[in-house]
Amino acid sequence: MSIILKTPEEIAEMRIACRLAAEVLDYITPFVKPGVSTGEIDRLCSDYMTKVQHTTSATLNYAPPGYPPYPASICTSLNHQVCHGIPGPKPLKKDDILNIDVTVITPNGFYGDTSRMFIVGGGAILAKRLCQVTFECMWLGIAQVRPGAHLGDIGHAIQRHAEGNGFSVVREFCGHGIGRRFHEEPQVLHYGRQGTGAELRPGMIFTIEPMVNTGKAAISELPDGWTIVTRDRSLSAQWEHTILVTEDGAEVLSLSAACQPPPGLTGGALASATRNAIAALPPAPLS
Ligand code: MF3
Ligand code: CO
Ligand code: CO
């Protein structure tokens, strides 16, 4: 097994898949409010994918070895839930923080994967800081991506920023290669040492999706077989983009008209190119 280098044709397909995943998040954003349940958010996203986009959800009935089939079209991870939260009937309330993770499959069979944090109706100070620092962690990781860099450079940048802000990085889940399959090589750890791990090469496509906790890094799995929570019940946040390694750096594939632009602190050519790319995208169709 090795890391698949995508052809120009496959890269073009992945641009479409990742943009569609991001547009599901754009579409759902105005619905994420106090009183709405995550089950309702799942139904809305499912309808948007199947009826408007003609994509399918990669998560619905997803059943890797040892797991029961995942029962929903998106993942919704609330407050102390780290990832893989299952949508349900409980209404959101003010100051909840929610990760919505969308993975679509296009009619041509390509996967696009992205997630964002939503702060419901205002937000408490610690929750807002956690979401912002985790967003910065993702972008600091993205800013490491260029040919010749190593996977460990990404993990190191993320870990340093999370821990430097008094937070911790979840170890058990990582970013992943993606393409014609949901999860491919490599594993993209969100912690590590500079200069270690596989060397990045043009044509690689993988996600960067750090999970950061306000308390300790330890996690547990709920009896539903999917939902991951912080063991100390501290808050957890996650952001995810799908990234292409280009000849001279990185291209963020999961951009959309309403996605949050990179924070100032990543600086440089990548951040300005990304901001320009976001500005040049026409808005997602309204339904
Ligand atoms: N989208 C998640 C990821 O970023 C995986 C979700 S798998 C599910 O890799 F089954 F929980 F949906
Ligand atoms: Co995801
Ligand atoms: Co992913």
Side-chain angles (χ1 to χ4, degrees), residues 17 20-21 49 53-60 103-112 179-180 182:
L20 287 166
M49 287 183 234
Q53 293 188 327
H54 306 291
T55 58
T56 53
S57 162
T59 63
L60 187 62
T103 311
V104 302
I105 314 172
T106 64
N108 291 345
F110 289 83
Y111 288 71
R180 292 179 196 269
F182 196 166

Side-chain angles (χ1 to χ4, degrees), residues 8 24 37 42 48 74 77 86 91 99 105 131 135 155 196 231 242 246 261 269 281-283 285:
V24 176
S37 73
D42 177 55
Y48 190 76
I74 56 170
S77 303
I86 298 175
N99 174 274
I105 314 172
C131 293
F135 183 68
T196 65
R231 199 171 293 173
T242 301
T246 62
L281 290 167

Side-chain angles (χ1 to χ4, degrees), residues 28-271:
I28 203 62
T29 298
F31 295 99
V32 185
K33 287 193 186 131
V36 179
S37 73
T38 50
E40 184 61 23
I41 289 172
D42 177 55
R43 277 186 292 280
L44 288 163
C45 288
S46 170
D47 283 352
Y48 190 76
M49 287 183 234
T50 57
K51 297 184 181 148
V52 178
Q53 293 188 327
H54 306 291
T55 58
T56 53
S57 162
T59 63
L60 187 62
N61 297 320
Y62 180 57
Y67 285 82
Y70 186 81
S73 295
I74 56 170
C75 296
T76 52
S77 303
L78 187 63
N79 297 330
H80 68 284
Q81 297 178 345
V82 172
C83 62
H84 306 165
I86 298 175
K90 228 179 77 183
L92 294 174
K93 49 185 193 345
K94 184 180 167 329
D95 293 349
D96 279 341
I97 60 168
L98 178 70
N99 174 274
I100 303 181
D101 192 340
V102 172
T103 311
V104 302
I105 314 172
T106 64
N108 291 345
F110 289 83
Y111 288 71
D113 189 4
T114 183
S115 83
R116 298 180 195 160
M117 291 306 294
F118 295 83
I119 301 174
V120 181
I125 287 173
L126 180 64
K128 285 201 270 197
R129 195 164 73 83
L130 175 68
C131 293
Q132 178 62 24
V133 168
T134 308
F135 183 68
E136 291 165 0
C137 283
M138 174 183 68
W139 273 101
L140 286 166
I142 294 170
Q144 303 304 311
V145 176
R146 56 176 172 76
H150 291 258
L151 284 173
D153 300 341
I154 300 171
H156 174 81
I158 290 168
Q159 179 179 18
R160 186 186 145 100
H161 192 60
E163 293 179 357
N165 279 279
F167 298 145
S168 64
V169 175
V170 172
R171 302 293 202 270
E172 289 83 352
F173 298 89
C174 56
H176 50 91
I178 183 166
R180 292 179 196 269
R181 287 179 301 144
F182 196 166
H183 294 108
E184 303 178 347
E185 285 193 50
Q187 295 197 3
V188 182
L189 304 184
H190 302 117
Y191 61 93
R193 293 202 344 262
Q194 285 172 308
T196 65
E199 190 175 320
L200 305 185
R201 297 183 51 193
M204 290 181 179
I205 295 181
F206 51 78
T207 71
I208 297 179
E209 49 180 299
M211 286 142 275
V212 176
N213 303 343
T214 57
K216 297 207 170 83
I219 52 125
S220 5
E221 188 185 288
L222 295 190
D224 64 25
W226 276 106
T227 309
I228 303 300
V229 296
T230 54
R231 199 171 293 173
D232 62 9
R233 299 300 189 263
S234 66
L235 287 177
S236 188
Q238 178 177 30
W239 293 81
E240 176 176 23
H241 269 311
T242 301
I243 314 299
L244 165 71
V245 184
T246 62
E247 293 297 332
D248 60 357
E251 178 183 334
V252 181
L253 301 181
S254 44
L255 298 178
S256 61
C259 75
Q260 199 173 312
L265 63 75
T266 57
L270 172 67

